Amino acid sequence: MNDLNELRRVLDDRAASVDDHLAPAQPAAVHRRIAAIRRRRRTAAAGALAAAVVVAGSAVVLPRLGGDEGPEPTSLVGVDVPDTMDSLGFTYELVDTVSGKGSRAVLDLPASDQSRLVSWATSGDDDRVTLSGDLVVDPWSTDAADFSDFTLVPAGDGGQVVIEAASGTPGIAVYRATGERPAGYTRDGITFREEFAGGHLLAAVVGEPGQGEIDLPATADGPGVAVKLFCIGGPEAADTVLDLGGRPAITAGGGCADRTPLDPAAHGGSDFPTRVGEDVSVRVEIRSGGSAVVDDDMVVAVGIYSLDAYAPAPRGPAPTTLEHDGRVWRLVHVADSSRAEQVAELAPEGRGEILAVMTAGTGERLIDVTFGDRPGVRISAGESASLQQVVSAGEAVRIRQVGGKPLGDVRVSFYERVR
Amino acid sequence: MRPSRDDFDTFVVARSAPLLRTAYLLTHDHALAEDLLQTALAKAWFAWRRIDGDPEPYVRKILVNTYATWWRRKWHGERPSDELPETAGTARSEAESVASATDLWRAMETLPPRQRAVIVLRFFEDLSEAQTAELLGCSVGTVKSQQSKALAKLRIDPTLSLHDGTPEDLR
């Protein structure tokens, strides 16, 4: 058995062995490192330029990257760029800008361990811009082109965002998540925020490192709960076994992640219908090969949110509030088109960008769903399936059953962004 | 007044040596320690103008958290698997002491990154549990449990300390 004196002595001796004669040269070495980071960014932007020219022919993109100091307060295409931006209570700081030429700007964003926001502005009088690129699942348009809107790029993702302006030249600003977090439950750098999609946090816990079983008592106070849970640092092949209210609820594969999500509330999870007062205590166990996982590095975290509506099925009431792409949306219109052969609902006018949500329960029948003039998707909705897309006022959501028979249960809901 | 490049370079010259020592105790590798320190300083550079007051705690926080988050991805292959042999008694020969110190150092390499970070911060940096928790972005309870597990793995009995500087919470 050793003692603490021995430990201190070992640490001191080893530390003293470090050769620090390079200290005077460190600034130069660090600035070389900083220059290398900038070169990587320029290379990425130059790649975007080449791709844009090849694909678009006439497009030209001029990347403008940060100066020798960290990003300065700046103006881009004549519009002041905010130093920080907020998404769902999390603060993001400005890290990069790209100015376009002509009516187009292209951002090539390398994958990162951190969540980022991409925002934009234009120099023109008409603020309308269209977003596309492989980081934008389906192109969408907005009239907010003064760095007041953004799209969220989750940690781990990388790719291209293209901004095309109706008039003038667009510029793009990139923001990175900071350590500032919203109110809620925070432990070990993990935050379950207090508010989620119109609901609120009932209970949350972040387990001790190595703790593979979590018990979290809670009582429902509304029509549904959302259980958000994740595991990091454990085996990649582990199963997550979830009991709700003392009953088996879900067993999911997929294993543990290698990074902590910035905002666990926004990542997946499962919704359950509840009655007020019902026991919704959660028990989570991480298992592998039929036995409990033992791993000192593994951390399991669980949050239980009360929902203001439980509505995965189209017959139920539509949720009054949703989250999509790092933003909050409020219900403005519901079109119930059940039992029709086909549906064509128009997004309401005069509300800027609109989030259209199609919820259907069509059994095994196939349906075609089209948002505006984007490519359609063909799905089998089963008991309940949902698709979301940001659309413009007046754009149509079209649903048609393959074969021309009645659709079954279908609901189209429209939401406006809460600013 | 906004900090300048000169401020940054002055800081780097003045504080690189102690930061490099911390980096070495975390990584157990001179080249990786250099890499970790330069990465942390480069990250700090891009946030330099937003740092209020003494930048060292901020840089140290970046350094430790970069180590904790990158370790799994970049440096996973460096763990020796040797078990620390039991040593008995308090009166040891010089050779035994050297062997024990080497064993202890190698045993530290078996610790998960956060446990290793807790050991370095608590017993080299002499940070309190609260300071360690703040720096690692976790709770004091987590620091306590990580420290307890790490000491158990190192086969250190926290009651066997003759050092006046024994942290208050171990007494």
Side-chain angles (χ1 to χ4, degrees), chain A residues 1 3 5-6 8 26 31 68 71-72 93 113 189 208-209 296, chain B residues 2 9 34 45 49-50 73 87 92 100 126 137 149 153 160 162-163:
Chain A
M1 189 62 79
D3 64 35
N5 294 330
E6 208 160 351
R8 290 177 187 279
Q26 277 286 8
H31 285 291
D68 272 352
E72 296 287 339
E93 62 184 355
D113 284 348
E208 293 289 337
D296 277 349
Chain B
R2 173 182 290 180
D9 289 354
E34 190 75 26
W45 166 258
R49 70 182 179 85
R50 293 188 296 277
R73 190 173 67 230
T87 54
R92 297 174 183 158
S100 173
D126 276 332
K149 287 177 181 176
K153 283 184 181 175
L160 293 181
L162 304 175
H163 196 287

PDB file of all heavy atoms in Angstrom, chain A residues 1 3 5-6 8 26 31 68 71-72 93 113 189 208-209 296, chain B residues 2 9 34 45 49-50 73 87 92 100 126 137 149 153 160 162-163:
ATOM      1  N   MET A   1       0.845  -1.198   0.000  1.00  0.00           N
ATOM      2  CA  MET A   1       0.000   0.000   0.000  1.00  0.00           C
ATOM      3  C   MET A   1       0.883   1.251   0.000  1.00  0.00           C
ATOM      4  O   MET A   1       1.840   1.349   0.748  1.00  0.00           O
ATOM      5  CB  MET A   1      -0.901  -0.036   1.236  1.00  0.00           C
ATOM      6  CG  MET A   1      -1.970   1.018   1.255  1.00  0.00           C
ATOM      7  SD  MET A   1      -3.171   0.926  -0.083  1.00  0.00           S
ATOM      8  CE  MET A   1      -4.247  -0.400   0.486  1.00  0.00           C
ATOM      9  N   ASP A   3       1.267   5.689  -0.091  1.00  0.00           N
ATOM     10  CA  ASP A   3       0.583   6.796   0.564  1.00  0.00           C
ATOM     11  C   ASP A   3       0.614   8.035  -0.332  1.00  0.00           C
ATOM     12  O   ASP A   3       1.253   8.053  -1.391  1.00  0.00           O
ATOM     13  CB  ASP A   3       1.172   7.075   1.949  1.00  0.00           C
ATOM     14  CG  ASP A   3       2.609   7.541   1.880  1.00  0.00           C
ATOM     15  OD1 ASP A   3       2.950   8.259   0.922  1.00  0.00           O
ATOM     16  OD2 ASP A   3       3.393   7.191   2.776  1.00  0.00           O
ATOM     17  N   ASN A   5       1.975  10.889   0.136  1.00  0.00           N
ATOM     18  CA  ASN A   5       3.291  11.528  -0.014  1.00  0.00           C
ATOM     19  C   ASN A   5       4.034  10.949  -1.200  1.00  0.00           C
ATOM     20  O   ASN A   5       4.687  11.669  -1.967  1.00  0.00           O
ATOM     21  CB  ASN A   5       4.131  11.319   1.254  1.00  0.00           C
ATOM     22  CG  ASN A   5       3.534  12.035   2.442  1.00  0.00           C
ATOM     23  OD1 ASN A   5       2.888  13.069   2.278  1.00  0.00           O
ATOM     24  ND2 ASN A   5       3.721  11.487   3.629  1.00  0.00           N
ATOM     25  N   GLU A   6       3.918   9.645  -1.346  1.00  0.00           N
ATOM     26  CA  GLU A   6       4.596   8.982  -2.449  1.00  0.00           C
ATOM     27  C   GLU A   6       4.016   9.444  -3.789  1.00  0.00           C
ATOM     28  O   GLU A   6       4.750   9.685  -4.746  1.00  0.00           O
ATOM     29  CB  GLU A   6       4.426   7.472  -2.285  1.00  0.00           C
ATOM     30  CG  GLU A   6       5.547   6.683  -2.894  1.00  0.00           C
ATOM     31  CD  GLU A   6       5.597   5.281  -2.303  1.00  0.00           C
ATOM     32  OE1 GLU A   6       4.878   5.006  -1.321  1.00  0.00           O
ATOM     33  OE2 GLU A   6       6.355   4.472  -2.837  1.00  0.00           O
ATOM     34  N   ARG A   8       2.510  12.299  -4.399  1.00  0.00           N
ATOM     35  CA  ARG A   8       2.954  13.685  -4.663  1.00  0.00           C
ATOM     36  C   ARG A   8       4.402  13.698  -5.139  1.00  0.00           C
ATOM     37  O   ARG A   8       4.763  14.462  -6.046  1.00  0.00           O
ATOM     38  CB  ARG A   8       2.824  14.524  -3.386  1.00  0.00           C
ATOM     39  CG  ARG A   8       1.399  14.817  -2.978  1.00  0.00           C
ATOM     40  CD  ARG A   8       1.420  15.587  -1.651  1.00  0.00           C
ATOM     41  NE  ARG A   8       0.081  15.769  -1.122  1.00  0.00           N
ATOM     42  CZ  ARG A   8      -0.761  16.715  -1.525  1.00  0.00           C
ATOM     43  NH1 ARG A   8      -0.394  17.545  -2.477  1.00  0.00           N
ATOM     44  NH2 ARG A   8      -1.950  16.816  -0.987  1.00  0.00           N
ATOM     45  N   GLN A  26       7.979  29.052 -27.562  1.00  0.00           N
ATOM     46  CA  GLN A  26       6.594  28.576 -27.624  1.00  0.00           C
ATOM     47  C   GLN A  26       5.682  29.496 -28.425  1.00  0.00           C
ATOM     48  O   GLN A  26       4.841  29.015 -29.189  1.00  0.00           O
ATOM     49  CB  GLN A  26       6.030  28.399 -26.212  1.00  0.00           C
ATOM     50  CG  GLN A  26       6.387  27.088 -25.565  1.00  0.00           C
ATOM     51  CD  GLN A  26       5.610  25.916 -26.145  1.00  0.00           C
ATOM     52  OE1 GLN A  26       4.896  26.039 -27.123  1.00  0.00           O
ATOM     53  NE2 GLN A  26       5.798  24.753 -25.554  1.00  0.00           N
ATOM     54  N   HIS A  31       1.860  30.063 -32.743  1.00  0.00           N
ATOM     55  CA  HIS A  31       1.346  30.805 -33.900  1.00  0.00           C
ATOM     56  C   HIS A  31       1.435  29.970 -35.173  1.00  0.00           C
ATOM     57  O   HIS A  31       0.600  30.120 -36.076  1.00  0.00           O
ATOM     58  CB  HIS A  31       2.094  32.137 -34.047  1.00  0.00           C
ATOM     59  CG  HIS A  31       1.646  33.149 -33.023  1.00  0.00           C
ATOM     60  ND1 HIS A  31       0.392  33.714 -33.055  1.00  0.00           N
ATOM     61  CD2 HIS A  31       2.262  33.653 -31.928  1.00  0.00           C
ATOM     62  CE1 HIS A  31       0.262  34.544 -32.021  1.00  0.00           C
ATOM     63  NE2 HIS A  31       1.389  34.518 -31.324  1.00  0.00           N
ATOM     64  N   ASP A  68      -5.694  38.145 -37.259  1.00  0.00           N
ATOM     65  CA  ASP A  68      -4.707  37.562 -36.375  1.00  0.00           C
ATOM     66  C   ASP A  68      -5.254  37.354 -34.969  1.00  0.00           C
ATOM     67  O   ASP A  68      -4.833  36.476 -34.251  1.00  0.00           O
ATOM     68  CB  ASP A  68      -3.465  38.440 -36.313  1.00  0.00           C
ATOM     69  CG  ASP A  68      -2.505  38.042 -37.423  1.00  0.00           C
ATOM     70  OD1 ASP A  68      -2.782  37.023 -38.076  1.00  0.00           O
ATOM     71  OD2 ASP A  68      -1.527  38.752 -37.632  1.00  0.00           O
ATOM     72  N   PRO A  71     -12.005  36.330 -33.679  1.00  0.00           N
ATOM     73  CA  PRO A  71     -12.903  37.065 -34.550  1.00  0.00           C
ATOM     74  C   PRO A  71     -13.244  38.434 -33.985  1.00  0.00           C
ATOM     75  O   PRO A  71     -13.657  38.560 -32.833  1.00  0.00           O
ATOM     76  CB  PRO A  71     -14.141  36.167 -34.592  1.00  0.00           C
ATOM     77  CG  PRO A  71     -13.638  34.822 -34.239  1.00  0.00           C
ATOM     78  CD  PRO A  71     -12.514  35.044 -33.297  1.00  0.00           C
ATOM     79  N   GLU A  72     -13.068  39.465 -34.787  1.00  0.00           N
ATOM     80  CA  GLU A  72     -13.359  40.828 -34.365  1.00  0.00           C
ATOM     81  C   GLU A  72     -14.844  41.105 -34.581  1.00  0.00           C
ATOM     82  O   GLU A  72     -15.484  40.488 -35.433  1.00  0.00           O
ATOM     83  CB  GLU A  72     -12.545  41.804 -35.213  1.00  0.00           C
ATOM     84  CG  GLU A  72     -11.054  41.674 -35.034  1.00  0.00           C
ATOM     85  CD  GLU A  72     -10.612  42.233 -33.703  1.00  0.00           C
ATOM     86  OE1 GLU A  72     -11.351  43.043 -33.130  1.00  0.00           O
ATOM     87  OE2 GLU A  72      -9.544  41.853 -33.225  1.00  0.00           O
ATOM     88  N   GLU A  93     -20.922  31.440 -30.105  1.00  0.00           N
ATOM     89  CA  GLU A  93     -20.080  32.601 -30.382  1.00  0.00           C
ATOM     90  C   GLU A  93     -19.582  32.564 -31.822  1.00  0.00           C
ATOM     91  O   GLU A  93     -19.344  31.496 -32.388  1.00  0.00           O
ATOM     92  CB  GLU A  93     -18.890  32.633 -29.417  1.00  0.00           C
ATOM     93  CG  GLU A  93     -17.974  31.429 -29.554  1.00  0.00           C
ATOM     94  CD  GLU A  93     -16.849  31.432 -28.532  1.00  0.00           C
ATOM     95  OE1 GLU A  93     -16.732  32.410 -27.801  1.00  0.00           O
ATOM     96  OE2 GLU A  93     -16.097  30.437 -28.506  1.00  0.00           O
ATOM     97  N   ASP A 113     -16.488  18.453 -33.376  1.00  0.00           N
ATOM     98  CA  ASP A 113     -17.060  17.874 -32.169  1.00  0.00           C
ATOM     99  C   ASP A 113     -18.107  18.791 -31.542  1.00  0.00           C
ATOM    100  O   ASP A 113     -18.779  18.400 -30.603  1.00  0.00           O
ATOM    101  CB  ASP A 113     -15.958  17.621 -31.125  1.00  0.00           C
ATOM    102  CG  ASP A 113     -15.139  16.397 -31.487  1.00  0.00           C
ATOM    103  OD1 ASP A 113     -15.572  15.658 -32.381  1.00  0.00           O
ATOM    104  OD2 ASP A 113     -14.079  16.200 -30.879  1.00  0.00           O
ATOM    105  N   GLY A 189     -21.010  18.742 -16.863  1.00  0.00           N
ATOM    106  CA  GLY A 189     -20.998  19.318 -18.198  1.00  0.00           C
ATOM    107  C   GLY A 189     -22.181  18.918 -19.062  1.00  0.00           C
ATOM    108  O   GLY A 189     -22.221  19.221 -20.248  1.00  0.00           O
ATOM    109  N   GLU A 208     -23.015   8.700 -11.910  1.00  0.00           N
ATOM    110  CA  GLU A 208     -21.575   8.724 -11.643  1.00  0.00           C
ATOM    111  C   GLU A 208     -20.855   7.966 -12.747  1.00  0.00           C
ATOM    112  O   GLU A 208     -21.414   7.024 -13.318  1.00  0.00           O
ATOM    113  CB  GLU A 208     -21.283   8.033 -10.303  1.00  0.00           C
ATOM    114  CG  GLU A 208     -21.826   8.757  -9.096  1.00  0.00           C
ATOM    115  CD  GLU A 208     -21.060  10.028  -8.804  1.00  0.00           C
ATOM    116  OE1 GLU A 208     -19.899  10.133  -9.233  1.00  0.00           O
ATOM    117  OE2 GLU A 208     -21.621  10.923  -8.161  1.00  0.00           O
ATOM    118  N   PRO A 209     -19.636   8.344 -13.052  1.00  0.00           N
ATOM    119  CA  PRO A 209     -18.874   7.540 -14.019  1.00  0.00           C
ATOM    120  C   PRO A 209     -18.822   6.079 -13.562  1.00  0.00           C
ATOM    121  O   PRO A 209     -18.542   5.800 -12.399  1.00  0.00           O
ATOM    122  CB  PRO A 209     -17.480   8.188 -13.991  1.00  0.00           C
ATOM    123  CG  PRO A 209     -17.743   9.604 -13.587  1.00  0.00           C
ATOM    124  CD  PRO A 209     -18.882   9.534 -12.613  1.00  0.00           C
ATOM    125  N   ASP A 296     -15.595   2.056 -16.039  1.00  0.00           N
ATOM    126  CA  ASP A 296     -15.364   3.257 -15.234  1.00  0.00           C
ATOM    127  C   ASP A 296     -15.558   4.542 -16.015  1.00  0.00           C
ATOM    128  O   ASP A 296     -15.770   5.599 -15.444  1.00  0.00           O
ATOM    129  CB  ASP A 296     -13.935   3.242 -14.670  1.00  0.00           C
ATOM    130  CG  ASP A 296     -13.851   2.407 -13.417  1.00  0.00           C
ATOM    131  OD1 ASP A 296     -14.912   2.037 -12.894  1.00  0.00           O
ATOM    132  OD2 ASP A 296     -12.721   2.114 -12.976  1.00  0.00           O
TER     133      ASP A 296
ATOM    134  N   ARG B   2      -8.419  45.878 -24.334  1.00  0.00           N
ATOM    135  CA  ARG B   2      -8.426  44.579 -24.977  1.00  0.00           C
ATOM    136  C   ARG B   2      -7.022  43.950 -24.989  1.00  0.00           C
ATOM    137  O   ARG B   2      -6.053  44.611 -25.357  1.00  0.00           O
ATOM    138  CB  ARG B   2      -8.911  44.748 -26.413  1.00  0.00           C
ATOM    139  CG  ARG B   2      -8.801  43.461 -27.218  1.00  0.00           C
ATOM    140  CD  ARG B   2      -9.236  43.669 -28.619  1.00  0.00           C
ATOM    141  NE  ARG B   2     -10.672  43.872 -28.649  1.00  0.00           N
ATOM    142  CZ  ARG B   2     -11.337  44.086 -29.772  1.00  0.00           C
ATOM    143  NH1 ARG B   2     -10.706  44.149 -30.896  1.00  0.00           N
ATOM    144  NH2 ARG B   2     -12.628  44.245 -29.727  1.00  0.00           N
ATOM    145  N   ASP B   9       1.575  36.500 -26.267  1.00  0.00           N
ATOM    146  CA  ASP B   9       2.924  35.937 -26.367  1.00  0.00           C
ATOM    147  C   ASP B   9       3.641  35.993 -25.015  1.00  0.00           C
ATOM    148  O   ASP B   9       4.375  35.067 -24.647  1.00  0.00           O
ATOM    149  CB  ASP B   9       3.735  36.689 -27.425  1.00  0.00           C
ATOM    150  CG  ASP B   9       3.241  36.391 -28.831  1.00  0.00           C
ATOM    151  OD1 ASP B   9       2.352  35.525 -28.966  1.00  0.00           O
ATOM    152  OD2 ASP B   9       3.730  37.023 -29.784  1.00  0.00           O
ATOM    153  N   GLU B  34       3.429  18.267 -25.474  1.00  0.00           N
ATOM    154  CA  GLU B  34       3.691  19.452 -26.295  1.00  0.00           C
ATOM    155  C   GLU B  34       2.506  19.719 -27.231  1.00  0.00           C
ATOM    156  O   GLU B  34       2.051  20.846 -27.397  1.00  0.00           O
ATOM    157  CB  GLU B  34       4.971  19.219 -27.100  1.00  0.00           C
ATOM    158  CG  GLU B  34       5.502  20.435 -27.811  1.00  0.00           C
ATOM    159  CD  GLU B  34       6.168  21.421 -26.867  1.00  0.00           C
ATOM    160  OE1 GLU B  34       6.659  21.015 -25.798  1.00  0.00           O
ATOM    161  OE2 GLU B  34       6.167  22.614 -27.201  1.00  0.00           O
ATOM    162  N   TRP B  45      -6.150  31.272 -28.024  1.00  0.00           N
ATOM    163  CA  TRP B  45      -5.894  32.444 -28.866  1.00  0.00           C
ATOM    164  C   TRP B  45      -7.169  32.967 -29.520  1.00  0.00           C
ATOM    165  O   TRP B  45      -7.433  34.167 -29.557  1.00  0.00           O
ATOM    166  CB  TRP B  45      -4.859  32.072 -29.932  1.00  0.00           C
ATOM    167  CG  TRP B  45      -4.748  33.049 -31.063  1.00  0.00           C
ATOM    168  CD1 TRP B  45      -5.269  32.936 -32.316  1.00  0.00           C
ATOM    169  CD2 TRP B  45      -4.065  34.304 -31.041  1.00  0.00           C
ATOM    170  NE1 TRP B  45      -4.958  34.026 -33.072  1.00  0.00           N
ATOM    171  CE2 TRP B  45      -4.219  34.881 -32.311  1.00  0.00           C
ATOM    172  CE3 TRP B  45      -3.347  34.986 -30.057  1.00  0.00           C
ATOM    173  CZ2 TRP B  45      -3.676  36.120 -32.628  1.00  0.00           C
ATOM    174  CZ3 TRP B  45      -2.806  36.213 -30.384  1.00  0.00           C
ATOM    175  CH2 TRP B  45      -2.964  36.774 -31.650  1.00  0.00           C
ATOM    176  N   ARG B  49      -9.558  37.635 -26.744  1.00  0.00           N
ATOM    177  CA  ARG B  49     -10.104  38.953 -26.430  1.00  0.00           C
ATOM    178  C   ARG B  49     -11.316  38.869 -25.502  1.00  0.00           C
ATOM    179  O   ARG B  49     -11.769  39.875 -24.983  1.00  0.00           O
ATOM    180  CB  ARG B  49     -10.476  39.697 -27.706  1.00  0.00           C
ATOM    181  CG  ARG B  49     -11.666  39.147 -28.438  1.00  0.00           C
ATOM    182  CD  ARG B  49     -11.916  39.935 -29.715  1.00  0.00           C
ATOM    183  NE  ARG B  49     -13.038  39.431 -30.456  1.00  0.00           N
ATOM    184  CZ  ARG B  49     -14.299  39.793 -30.201  1.00  0.00           C
ATOM    185  NH1 ARG B  49     -14.552  40.657 -29.251  1.00  0.00           N
ATOM    186  NH2 ARG B  49     -15.278  39.283 -30.907  1.00  0.00           N
ATOM    187  N   ARG B  50     -11.835  37.674 -25.317  1.00  0.00           N
ATOM    188  CA  ARG B  50     -13.001  37.545 -24.433  1.00  0.00           C
ATOM    189  C   ARG B  50     -12.628  37.113 -23.017  1.00  0.00           C
ATOM    190  O   ARG B  50     -13.501  36.941 -22.167  1.00  0.00           O
ATOM    191  CB  ARG B  50     -13.985  36.534 -25.034  1.00  0.00           C
ATOM    192  CG  ARG B  50     -14.622  37.009 -26.317  1.00  0.00           C
ATOM    193  CD  ARG B  50     -15.716  36.058 -26.764  1.00  0.00           C
ATOM    194  NE  ARG B  50     -15.210  34.743 -27.081  1.00  0.00           N
ATOM    195  CZ  ARG B  50     -14.681  34.422 -28.255  1.00  0.00           C
ATOM    196  NH1 ARG B  50     -14.600  35.319 -29.210  1.00  0.00           N
ATOM    197  NH2 ARG B  50     -14.227  33.212 -28.471  1.00  0.00           N
ATOM    198  N   ARG B  73     -10.105   9.522 -28.490  1.00  0.00           N
ATOM    199  CA  ARG B  73      -9.978   9.459 -29.931  1.00  0.00           C
ATOM    200  C   ARG B  73      -8.528   9.307 -30.383  1.00  0.00           C
ATOM    201  O   ARG B  73      -8.209   8.533 -31.255  1.00  0.00           O
ATOM    202  CB  ARG B  73     -10.564  10.741 -30.521  1.00  0.00           C
ATOM    203  CG  ARG B  73     -10.703  10.696 -32.011  1.00  0.00           C
ATOM    204  CD  ARG B  73     -11.437  11.913 -32.527  1.00  0.00           C
ATOM    205  NE  ARG B  73     -10.674  13.122 -32.334  1.00  0.00           N
ATOM    206  CZ  ARG B  73     -11.122  14.220 -31.795  1.00  0.00           C
ATOM    207  NH1 ARG B  73     -12.345  14.253 -31.345  1.00  0.00           N
ATOM    208  NH2 ARG B  73     -10.382  15.290 -31.680  1.00  0.00           N
ATOM    209  N   THR B  87       3.008  -3.460  -2.521  1.00  0.00           N
ATOM    210  CA  THR B  87       4.227  -3.221  -1.758  1.00  0.00           C
ATOM    211  C   THR B  87       3.842  -3.103  -0.300  1.00  0.00           C
ATOM    212  O   THR B  87       2.820  -2.531   0.026  1.00  0.00           O
ATOM    213  CB  THR B  87       4.929  -1.930  -2.195  1.00  0.00           C
ATOM    214  OG1 THR B  87       3.992  -0.867  -2.124  1.00  0.00           O
ATOM    215  CG2 THR B  87       5.459  -2.049  -3.611  1.00  0.00           C
ATOM    216  N   ARG B  92      11.671   1.382   3.317  1.00  0.00           N
ATOM    217  CA  ARG B  92      12.083   0.762   2.074  1.00  0.00           C
ATOM    218  C   ARG B  92      13.499   1.172   1.734  1.00  0.00           C
ATOM    219  O   ARG B  92      13.945   2.262   2.070  1.00  0.00           O
ATOM    220  CB  ARG B  92      11.167   1.208   0.942  1.00  0.00           C
ATOM    221  CG  ARG B  92       9.747   0.767   1.146  1.00  0.00           C
ATOM    222  CD  ARG B  92       8.913   1.383   0.062  1.00  0.00           C
ATOM    223  NE  ARG B  92       7.522   1.026   0.294  1.00  0.00           N
ATOM    224  CZ  ARG B  92       6.507   1.713  -0.187  1.00  0.00           C
ATOM    225  NH1 ARG B  92       6.725   2.787  -0.902  1.00  0.00           N
ATOM    226  NH2 ARG B  92       5.294   1.333   0.054  1.00  0.00           N
ATOM    227  N   SER B 100       8.998   1.495  -6.584  1.00  0.00           N
ATOM    228  CA  SER B 100       7.640   1.874  -6.220  1.00  0.00           C
ATOM    229  C   SER B 100       7.177   3.098  -7.003  1.00  0.00           C
ATOM    230  O   SER B 100       6.046   3.160  -7.492  1.00  0.00           O
ATOM    231  CB  SER B 100       7.587   2.163  -4.719  1.00  0.00           C
ATOM    232  OG  SER B 100       6.331   2.670  -4.382  1.00  0.00           O
ATOM    233  N   ASP B 126      -2.583  20.877  -6.459  1.00  0.00           N
ATOM    234  CA  ASP B 126      -3.098  21.187  -5.120  1.00  0.00           C
ATOM    235  C   ASP B 126      -4.402  21.983  -5.161  1.00  0.00           C
ATOM    236  O   ASP B 126      -4.638  22.866  -4.333  1.00  0.00           O
ATOM    237  CB  ASP B 126      -2.050  21.955  -4.300  1.00  0.00           C
ATOM    238  CG  ASP B 126      -1.065  20.991  -3.651  1.00  0.00           C
ATOM    239  OD1 ASP B 126      -1.454  19.836  -3.382  1.00  0.00           O
ATOM    240  OD2 ASP B 126       0.088  21.393  -3.435  1.00  0.00           O
ATOM    241  N   GLY B 137     -15.729  20.895 -14.865  1.00  0.00           N
ATOM    242  CA  GLY B 137     -17.130  21.044 -15.229  1.00  0.00           C
ATOM    243  C   GLY B 137     -17.994  19.927 -14.689  1.00  0.00           C
ATOM    244  O   GLY B 137     -18.911  19.456 -15.358  1.00  0.00           O
ATOM    245  N   LYS B 149     -11.881   6.264  -6.517  1.00  0.00           N
ATOM    246  CA  LYS B 149     -11.625   5.128  -7.406  1.00  0.00           C
ATOM    247  C   LYS B 149     -10.177   5.123  -7.879  1.00  0.00           C
ATOM    248  O   LYS B 149      -9.541   4.069  -7.960  1.00  0.00           O
ATOM    249  CB  LYS B 149     -12.561   5.188  -8.609  1.00  0.00           C
ATOM    250  CG  LYS B 149     -13.999   4.845  -8.288  1.00  0.00           C
ATOM    251  CD  LYS B 149     -14.874   4.991  -9.525  1.00  0.00           C
ATOM    252  CE  LYS B 149     -16.323   4.658  -9.197  1.00  0.00           C
ATOM    253  NZ  LYS B 149     -17.210   4.892 -10.346  1.00  0.00           N
ATOM    254  N   LYS B 153      -7.293   2.297  -7.225  1.00  0.00           N
ATOM    255  CA  LYS B 153      -6.554   1.622  -8.297  1.00  0.00           C
ATOM    256  C   LYS B 153      -5.051   1.781  -8.118  1.00  0.00           C
ATOM    257  O   LYS B 153      -4.284   0.897  -8.495  1.00  0.00           O
ATOM    258  CB  LYS B 153      -6.962   2.207  -9.653  1.00  0.00           C
ATOM    259  CG  LYS B 153      -8.299   1.725 -10.137  1.00  0.00           C
ATOM    260  CD  LYS B 153      -8.576   2.257 -11.518  1.00  0.00           C
ATOM    261  CE  LYS B 153      -9.933   1.773 -11.984  1.00  0.00           C
ATOM    262  NZ  LYS B 153     -10.304   2.347 -13.279  1.00  0.00           N
ATOM    263  N   LEU B 160      -2.615   7.106   4.938  1.00  0.00           N
ATOM    264  CA  LEU B 160      -1.190   6.918   5.158  1.00  0.00           C
ATOM    265  C   LEU B 160      -0.397   8.109   4.647  1.00  0.00           C
ATOM    266  O   LEU B 160       0.522   7.976   3.875  1.00  0.00           O
ATOM    267  CB  LEU B 160      -0.702   5.650   4.444  1.00  0.00           C
ATOM    268  CG  LEU B 160      -1.207   4.317   4.965  1.00  0.00           C
ATOM    269  CD1 LEU B 160      -0.616   3.170   4.157  1.00  0.00           C
ATOM    270  CD2 LEU B 160      -0.842   4.158   6.437  1.00  0.00           C
ATOM    271  N   LEU B 162       1.917  11.464   5.611  1.00  0.00           N
ATOM    272  CA  LEU B 162       2.629  12.200   6.657  1.00  0.00           C
ATOM    273  C   LEU B 162       2.777  13.657   6.276  1.00  0.00           C
ATOM    274  O   LEU B 162       3.376  14.438   6.987  1.00  0.00           O
ATOM    275  CB  LEU B 162       4.022  11.578   6.850  1.00  0.00           C
ATOM    276  CG  LEU B 162       4.025  10.089   7.160  1.00  0.00           C
ATOM    277  CD1 LEU B 162       5.462   9.574   7.204  1.00  0.00           C
ATOM    278  CD2 LEU B 162       3.325   9.817   8.485  1.00  0.00           C
ATOM    279  N   HIS B 163       2.184  14.000   5.127  1.00  0.00           N
ATOM    280  CA  HIS B 163       2.382  15.310   4.527  1.00  0.00           C
ATOM    281  C   HIS B 163       1.408  16.313   5.147  1.00  0.00           C
ATOM    282  O   HIS B 163       0.221  16.059   5.236  1.00  0.00           O
ATOM    283  CB  HIS B 163       2.131  15.175   3.029  1.00  0.00           C
ATOM    284  CG  HIS B 163       2.659  16.325   2.236  1.00  0.00           C
ATOM    285  ND1 HIS B 163       2.080  17.549   2.248  1.00  0.00           N
ATOM    286  CD2 HIS B 163       3.722  16.410   1.394  1.00  0.00           C
ATOM    287  CE1 HIS B 163       2.744  18.350   1.445  1.00  0.00           C
ATOM    288  NE2 HIS B 163       3.747  17.677   0.910  1.00  0.00           N
TER     289      HIS B 163
END
